[in-house]
Amino acid sequence: MSLVLDSAAQDLLFREARTVGSFSDEPVTEEQVQAIYDLVKYGPTAFNQTPLRITLVRSAEARERLVQHMAEGNKAKTAAAPLVAILSADNEFHEELPHLLPHFPQAKDVFFAERPVREQSALLNTALQAAYFIVGVRAAGLAAGPMTGADFAGLQKEFLDDDHTPLMVVNIGKPSDEPAAFGRAPRLEFDQVVTTV
Amino acid sequence: MSLVLDSAAQDLLFREARTVGSFSDEPVTEEQVQAIYDLVKYGPTAFNQTPLRITLVRSAEARERLVQHMAEGNKAKTAAAPLVAILSADNEFHEELPHLLPHFPQAKDVFFAERPVREQSALLNTALQAAYFIVGVRAAGLAAGPMTGADFAGLQKEFLDDDHTPLMVVNIGKPSDEPAAFGRAPRLEFDQVVTTV
């Protein structure tokens, strides 16, 4: 075996984990979300910029507003999930850099003075953190249902502001006992993905 | 404890793992890269599009060409790392969708007929897979040194083609015994990142 990670952890995070659309009624607690964040906050980002911001949609009123901005095929599962999180990029992340990067606080001005540069960097690094977050949800024994089928401009106006760009909406909960609608989809073979030069 | 993942795995993947710039001389084997891919290929992407492509830069000649396109501060560590991978987005990923998404093969034409739509989707989903890849490198007991400081247009011309957009270069290897140059940088507090509505 070339991996050091134990096989139970491999299964929990990747091999057995599945994207699900239907969940049990069990709530996702604040403690669980805090434990997930306290783990995945360590995932690496460029200049430790950590631009991910998370909006937990907990109230019935907010959930209703959220569902209206989801694509038709995502409305029912978003309405029913125990918890839904909007993941967004903070395009003003550079304001935190003097604190986040103590050995190079001038990165804020040297690299990130321009908004378009920040937006591009925040997009990439928020996506990295979104993946760490999905892994973290699984680390808590929960299932994640990440979705990009949504009216993101509408979501931004409804829940965020001009400095925050939503990237993804994630349903979170214990999977229901119903079998998955489809078998595990195929993946590309190593040789289709990897080239050596 | 709110996490199901055992604490050794938490440490290996997040808590103890660090981005490193200096590695031991031990090579990274083909078997290790295959084991990493065979784990992280299961990470979720939109419509199972899995647009990540990986170029392993193994030969001395290719390494030299790569180093020339890296930012000044990244040249020495890229030259010295046991293995370097260029991670890129395949903007023509939709060609594989009929195979990758057997329950909805028409996604290729319904959602991804337009190149700009594919480029935007491939960017986000390749970034997700880049994060899974970094987690996978750590799962193999190795350290990753992800870098975005590079002339990506030059890299694309040198190693890829018009359909593949490079996103990140990752140094990979066993960390050297030298202590990290800096202590673990701070992270944002839960309340700075998470809002509940």
Side-chain angles (χ1 to χ4, degrees):
Chain A
M1 288 297 300
S2 296
L3 296 181
V4 170
L5 185 70
D6 63 273
S7 68
Q10 293 179 32
D11 289 346
L12 181 70
L13 303 181
F14 289 103
R15 292 191 203 281
E16 301 289 331
R18 294 284 306 275
T19 294
V20 305
S22 104
F23 298 93
S24 83
D25 290 336
E26 205 174 313
V28 176
T29 67
E30 196 66 5
E31 291 65 36
Q32 285 176 306
V33 181
Q34 286 185 8
I36 292 166
Y37 178 70
D38 280 340
L39 180 69
V40 302
K41 69 184 180 185
Y42 293 114
T45 55
F47 296 95
N48 195 33
Q49 64 182 256
T50 58
L52 171 69
R53 302 295 179 266
I54 301 169
T55 307
L56 298 179
V57 181
R58 285 208 180 269
S59 74
E61 169 272 322
R63 184 73 66 96
E64 203 168 296
R65 289 190 287 129
L66 171 63
V67 167
Q68 289 175 10
H69 295 285
M70 300 305 295
E72 215 44 57
N74 288 331
K75 282 183 194 293
K77 54 190 174 189
T78 303
L83 180 62
V84 189
I86 303 169
L87 307 188
S88 63
D90 183 355
N91 297 306
E92 300 297 297
F93 67 84
H94 66 312
E95 298 292 351
E96 305 288 347
L97 281 186
H99 164 64
L100 291 174
L101 202 67
H103 65 273
F104 185 41
Q106 57 281 39
K108 177 189 171 196
D109 301 310
V110 173
F111 290 114
F112 297 111
E114 308 287 338
R115 171 83 175 219
V117 172
R118 294 200 298 274
E119 287 182 359
Q120 196 189 2
S121 194
L123 171 63
L124 176 65
N125 286 283
T126 300
L128 295 180
Q129 287 192 284
Y132 304 142
F133 182 78
I134 291 168
V135 171
V137 166
R138 292 169 167 193
L142 301 169
M147 298 172 292
T148 50
D151 167 16
F152 282 107
L155 274 184
Q156 181 171 16
K157 210 168 162 187
E158 187 82 44
F159 291 102
L160 303 164
D161 61 29
D162 286 348
D163 291 336
H164 294 81
T165 309
L167 242 73
M168 192 184 290
V169 180
V170 186
N171 292 328
I172 304 169
K174 282 245 186 224
S176 73
D177 291 334
E178 288 171 43
F182 309 101
R184 163 79 85 183
R187 294 301 192 269
L188 297 173
E189 299 297 324
F190 184 80
D191 291 342
Q192 295 176 282
V193 170
V194 180
T195 309
T196 301
V197 293
Chain B
M1 288 299 299
S2 296
L3 296 181
V4 170
L5 185 71
D6 62 274
S7 68
Q10 292 179 32
D11 289 347
L12 181 70
L13 302 181
F14 289 103
R15 291 192 203 282
E16 301 288 331
R18 295 283 306 276
T19 294
V20 304
S22 104
F23 297 92
S24 82
D25 290 337
E26 204 174 313
V28 177
T29 66
E30 195 66 6
E31 290 65 37
Q32 284 175 306
V33 181
Q34 287 185 8
I36 292 166
Y37 177 70
D38 279 339
L39 180 69
V40 302
K41 68 183 181 186
Y42 293 114
T45 55
F47 296 96
N48 194 34
Q49 64 182 256
T50 57
L52 171 70
R53 302 294 178 267
I54 301 169
T55 307
L56 298 179
V57 182
R58 285 207 179 269
S59 74
E61 169 273 322
R63 184 73 67 95
E64 202 168 298
R65 288 190 287 131
L66 171 63
V67 168
Q68 289 177 8
H69 295 284
M70 300 306 295
E72 214 45 57
N74 288 332
K75 283 183 194 291
K77 54 190 174 189
T78 303
L83 179 62
V84 189
I86 303 168
L87 306 188
S88 62
D90 182 353
N91 297 306
E92 300 296 297
F93 68 84
H94 66 312
E95 298 292 351
E96 305 288 346
L97 281 186
H99 163 65
L100 291 174
L101 203 66
H103 65 273
F104 185 40
Q106 56 280 42
K108 176 189 171 193
D109 302 309
V110 173
F111 289 115
F112 297 111
E114 306 288 336
R115 171 82 176 220
V117 172
R118 294 200 298 273
E119 287 181 1
Q120 195 189 3
S121 193
L123 172 64
L124 175 65
N125 286 283
T126 300
L128 295 179
Q129 287 193 284
Y132 304 141
F133 182 77
I134 291 167
V135 171
V137 166
R138 292 169 166 191
L142 300 169
M147 300 172 290
T148 50
D151 167 15
F152 281 108
L155 274 184
Q156 182 171 15
K157 209 167 161 186
E158 188 82 44
F159 290 101
L160 303 164
D161 60 30
D162 287 348
D163 292 334
H164 293 83
T165 309
L167 242 74
M168 190 183 292
V169 179
V170 186
N171 292 329
I172 305 170
K174 281 246 185 225
S176 73
D177 291 335
E178 288 171 42
F182 309 101
R184 163 78 82 182
R187 294 301 193 270
L188 297 173
E189 299 297 326
F190 184 80
D191 291 342
Q192 296 177 282
V193 170
V194 180
T195 309
T196 301
V197 295

